[in-house]
Amino acid sequence: MVVLKTGLITESEEFISNYQYNKSLNKNIQALSYNVQNKRDDNILKQHEKRGKLLARDRIRLLIDNKSTFLEFSTLAANDKYENQFPGAGIVTGLGVINGMETVIIANDSTVKGGTYVYETIKKHLRAQEIALRNNLPVVYLVDSGGVYLPEQANVYPDSDHFGKIFYNQARLSAERIPQIALVMGLCTAGGAYIPAMSDESIIVKDIGSIFLAGPPLVKAATGEIVTAEDLGGAIVHTSISGVADHLADNEEDALLLCRNIFKHFNKPQKQPLDKKESKEPLYPIDDIYGLIPLNIRKGFNMYEIIARLVDGSCFQEFKTNYGKSIITGFARIMGYNVGIIANNGILFPESTLKATHFIELCCSRNIPLVFLQNIVGFMVGKEYEHKGIAKDGAKMIQAVATANVPKFTIIIGASSGAGNYAMAGRAYKPNLLFIWPNAKTSVMGAEQAAQVLISIKRKNKESNVPMTDEEEKLKQKILSDFETESSALYSTSRLWDDGIIDPVDTRKVLAIGISMSLNKPFPEPKPGVYRM
Ligand code: COA
């Protein structure tokens, strides 16, 4: 095991300006997250309190074990969309611990448009269920929602990954014997009524919770029947007449305690064995990372310096140090957990992809989770590399990533472009969790290259040395500006291409929580596909 050395000069001008820039990027994300989590119109908050209701995050705090951490997913979903009227997409999802069991919690935030669902709300809800399914975790639903946000119905209602998938997922979770508990703490209407109905056990709060397929106004319109919400589908109705809910709670605190008590009788799953030692801090300050990341992400940086600040004791058992040097592979520990790390240190060449493929196979055969640290602009292009068969070597790495039987965790710490995004366990490759740093840039290629490609294909005269016309210059500026916006971490997280933006200094903790979570599901036997040789 080698202790990684550092060559970082923290007094250099470059370090200081990087540090200030990245720190301020991070502060901006924290401020936005704070607002999403805490800022609401005073009248809405007062009304909520008057009804005897707790806020979504306060409910979660009471539900999880005292002093335990709640790892929130996608806090900034729907950021800068819908005129910012859907902070956090009106739903809180994340991983918490209830009576010692790692659990996915999905809580509607009724202070946001009555907890109704726009596209990102559904995506966030479905992603949380997917995390539960992939990691064998119980789910608690804190239901308080008016269902579909009607003006957006065409974007949320009928398609395969729309509202109906929530209940499809509930059925699949149930078939996997994964416990699901619903706490009805507000309205639970239309399709939403199926959430408690499809859960293993449901709790409803007196005078606050109600469940119905159609609310009183719709019933009146449809049948002429006049009925109050309480008489139609209140807590007493459902716990004593219909049987749609199982437990009556006097108030929200009571409901949360009841849920904790239900958890006391679950059998805890046997965790997948994974070697774990006592956690050790890295030898170098983690916040040096702010100074390491260059202002222009395409400039590149020394990934060994990042690894040295993420792994226990800065110790790294490297694999193939001198071969395929544009990718770094090796074993290390993150807060004690044994992991295999794959990190970019330049463009992907044929040798680097073969080395990564070999390393993924090692981890799969030894049952060691993989951590991908992405800073990749893509695969090497050009005649020499096409003739060497870079496409078939890249295909091997993609094949290995897609079929790996061990949990995968991806952190986009810099650029994420081209097929490099795929080979390094991008979103489509189903890493158990994928987080990004505030400086991350995700786009199919760099903005300059995209502008060049688009201008050259539009030109009748394909000569590249012809000076640009005014129109072409305008097009170039537009592409540069669009790419700048669309590649940003905020743009990505708003659309749930990731599970959230994290402060680089929290990376170790987030990874450790994720690794521990993933051990709830036994790793299957390796089952590789056909590798093109
Ligand atoms: N679609 C669109 N907007 C909705 C909505 C829905 N389903 N439900 C609520 N809203 C909006 C309201 O118009 C209001 O918007 P505003 O802040 O711009 O005025 C906001 O959400 C809050 O609703 P409000 O009724 O003021 O809050 P509330 O806390 O008193 O009640 C509900 C919340 C959800 C109980 C109530 O609005 C309701 O019953 N909504 C209709 C539910 C329904 O029938 N859904 C069927 C969908 S499948």
Side-chain angles (χ1 to χ4, degrees):
M1 191 71 87
V2 167
V3 175
L4 294 171
K5 297 204 169 60
T6 183
L8 202 60
I9 303 163
T10 52
E11 297 78 27
S12 74
E13 250 177 57
E14 192 184 356
F15 181 94
I16 293 166
S17 64
N18 288 348
Y19 191 100
Q20 284 165 349
Y21 174 75
N22 287 306
K23 186 93 185 154
S24 77
L25 266 186
N26 200 53
K27 263 196 175 158
N28 180 38
I29 300 294
Q30 279 175 358
L32 287 171
S33 303
Y34 179 85
N35 287 347
V36 162
Q37 291 170 333
N38 301 291
K39 287 262 165 74
R40 294 293 181 275
D41 183 273
D42 273 351
N43 291 331
I44 293 178
L45 291 177
K46 271 187 204 141
Q47 193 186 48
H48 201 78
E49 199 181 352
K50 214 167 121 195
R51 290 171 173 166
K53 289 169 71 166
L54 296 166
L55 296 171
R57 288 180 180 80
D58 294 336
R59 289 170 176 163
I60 292 170
R61 261 186 287 278
L62 286 175
L63 180 64
I64 63 175
D65 293 355
N66 199 9
K67 295 195 180 137
S68 66
T69 302
F70 179 63
L71 177 62
E72 190 171 318
F73 303 138
S74 300
T75 307
L76 294 174
N79 180 67
D80 259 346
K81 297 193 89 182
Y82 315 100
E83 295 169 341
N84 272 326
Q85 288 192 83
F86 279 86
I91 196 163
V92 186
T93 63
L95 184 74
V97 180
I98 304 177
N99 275 305
M101 285 183 82
E102 286 147 318
T103 304
V104 166
I105 300 170
I106 301 176
N108 299 117
D109 182 350
S110 63
T111 63
V112 177
K113 296 281 180 200
T116 52
Y117 282 68
V118 287
Y119 177 72
E120 290 73 12
T121 325
I122 291 172
K123 204 168 175 191
K124 198 165 158 180
H125 190 130
L126 296 180
R127 171 66 184 150
Q129 287 179 312
E130 183 190 333
I131 290 171
L133 197 55
R134 300 242 357 254
N135 298 281
N136 193 27
L137 306 169
V139 188
V140 173
Y141 303 93
L142 304 177
V143 191
D144 188 0
S145 162
V148 161
Y149 181 69
L150 292 170
E152 285 291 315
Q153 67 89 21
N155 298 319
V156 295
Y157 169 59
D159 209 352
S160 67
D161 281 340
H162 282 179
F163 205 69
K165 179 95 176 261
I166 293 174
F167 319 115
Y168 173 80
N169 281 350
Q170 282 193 263
R172 284 171 61 225
L173 284 156
S174 181
E176 293 295 324
R177 306 281 179 267
I178 293 175
Q180 297 174 86
I181 310 293
L183 282 71
V184 182
M185 308 175 117
L187 195 71
C188 192
T189 191
Y194 291 112
I195 293 182
M198 295 197 67
S199 294
D200 295 352
E201 289 187 58
S202 56
I203 302 166
I204 185 163
V205 184
K206 208 164 93 188
D207 302 329
I208 288 180
S210 54
I211 307 170
F212 28 67
L213 292 183
L218 189 54
V219 169
K220 187 173 173 221
T223 67
E225 188 183 15
I226 296 173
V227 60
T228 65
E230 202 56 32
D231 280 348
L232 185 64
I236 306 288
V237 167
H238 286 308
T239 49
S240 53
I241 302 175
S242 74
V244 172
D246 309 302
H247 308 276
L248 178 68
D250 282 338
N251 52 46
E252 296 211 356
E253 285 85 353
D254 187 30
L256 293 161
L257 186 64
L258 244 162
C259 180
R260 287 184 55 79
N261 287 340
I262 288 171
F263 265 68
K264 283 186 184 157
H265 295 276
F266 290 167
N267 284 322
K268 285 203 178 99
Q270 204 68 36
K271 281 201 161 188
Q272 166 77 30
L274 176 69
D275 190 43
K276 186 170 186 261
K277 298 249 185 303
E278 202 177 313
S279 170
K280 271 194 208 156
E281 284 302 297
L283 294 185
Y284 316 108
I286 298 189
D287 73 341
D288 280 354
I289 287 173
Y290 300 132
L292 263 160
I293 303 165
L295 305 185
N296 175 2
I297 207 66
R298 298 190 81 79
K299 200 173 150 204
F301 49 90
N302 184 355
M303 189 62 92
Y304 285 100
E305 295 282 3
I306 302 276
I307 297 172
R309 285 159 181 83
L310 292 182
V311 301
D312 288 15
S314 305
C315 287
F316 192 51
Q317 176 64 45
E318 195 168 359
F319 173 73
K320 278 189 184 291
T321 311
N322 299 320
Y323 182 83
K325 287 175 156 191
S326 70
I327 204 155
I328 303 170
T329 53
F331 299 98
R333 289 188 185 270
I334 304 252
M335 293 188 104
Y337 290 106
N338 194 17
V339 293
I341 291 182
I342 302 188
N344 304 112
N345 213 19
I347 292 174
L348 284 163
F349 289 91
E351 311 83 68
S352 29
T353 59
L354 292 176
K355 166 173 157 181
T357 305
H358 185 164
F359 184 73
I360 293 166
E361 296 219 305
L362 280 184
C363 291
C364 288
S365 83
R366 295 177 191 173
N367 279 340
I368 298 174
L370 283 159
V371 173
F372 292 83
L373 302 176
Q374 270 202 25
N375 179 31
I376 181 67
V377 293
F379 283 83
M380 189 62 199
V381 294
K383 185 172 153 191
E384 181 187 345
Y385 295 94
E386 299 294 353
H387 286 199
K388 273 189 175 172
I390 186 143
K392 70 177 180 179
D393 290 337
K396 291 187 194 84
M397 184 171 170
I398 290 175
Q399 177 85 264
V401 170
T403 58
N405 62 318
V406 294
K408 297 173 288 203
F409 301 92
T410 305
I411 310 285
I412 303 182
I413 71 173
S416 179
S417 284
N421 167 295
Y422 308 152
M424 288 294 292
R427 192 62 148 178
Y429 290 80
K430 298 204 177 292
N432 294 51
L433 292 174
L434 184 154
F435 287 98
I436 61 175
W437 286 359
N439 56 287
K441 295 252 182 250
T442 308
S443 60
V444 66
M445 61 176 79
E448 282 283 345
Q449 288 88 333
Q452 272 169 28
V453 171
L454 277 169
I455 288 165
S456 82
I457 55 175
K458 277 185 188 297
R459 274 186 177 175
K460 292 202 174 53
N461 177 355
K462 301 284 177 197
E463 291 297 316
S464 60
N465 52 1
V466 177
M468 260 198 271
T469 62
D470 286 353
E471 207 178 309
E472 285 172 344
E473 184 57 46
K474 253 196 224 156
L475 175 64
K476 180 179 172 185
Q477 290 314 320
K478 175 158 180 1
I479 295 165
L480 291 183
S481 145
D482 287 352
F483 266 62
E484 180 63 24
T485 309
E486 292 169 7
S487 63
S488 73
L490 272 172
Y491 194 89
S492 162
T493 211
S494 168
R495 284 151 188 81
L496 291 112
W497 299 343
D498 53 69
D499 293 312
I501 304 178
I502 55 167
D503 185 340
V505 303
D506 292 332
T507 306
R508 278 168 56 75
K509 192 169 175 193
V510 167
L511 281 171
I513 292 174
I515 295 163
S516 170
M517 163 196 90
S518 71
L519 303 179
N520 284 286
K521 184 157 185 167
F523 304 171
E525 280 301 303
K527 216 174 161 188
V530 175
Y531 286 95
R532 177 172 296 280
M533 296 301 174

